[in-house]
Amino acid sequence: MTDPPMKLTTSQVSLILQRRRAAEFFRRAKELAATTADTPQTDSTVLIREDRDR
């Protein structure tokens, strides 16, 4: 005989979804970082000045 389905509270479901979103965010960040390995990050002030000067 199988156990009855587990009932989750709203806060438990919220926590599960929050952890999934965080895991997806970090997975994507790691994926993006791998595409720019060994490339130094451009200072944001340089980028802003370039946009302003256009």
Side-chain angles (χ1 to χ4, degrees):
M1 184 176 239
T2 61
D3 293 329
M6 188 169 92
K7 292 186 179 183
L8 300 173
T9 64
T10 303
S11 61
Q12 288 172 319
V13 171
S14 178
L15 184 60
I16 291 168
L17 293 174
Q18 189 176 25
R19 287 182 178 168
R20 283 184 183 170
R21 283 192 299 270
E24 176 62 19
F25 172 82
F26 288 114
R27 182 198 66 75
R28 183 73 176 125
K30 189 181 264 188
E31 185 179 285
L32 288 170
T35 65
T36 58
D38 301 323
T39 303
Q41 185 173 359
T42 304
D43 188 346
S44 62
T45 56
V46 172
L47 298 173
I48 291 169
R49 286 180 183 142
E50 285 178 1
D51 282 347
R52 183 192 61 202
D53 295 341
R54 280 193 230 167

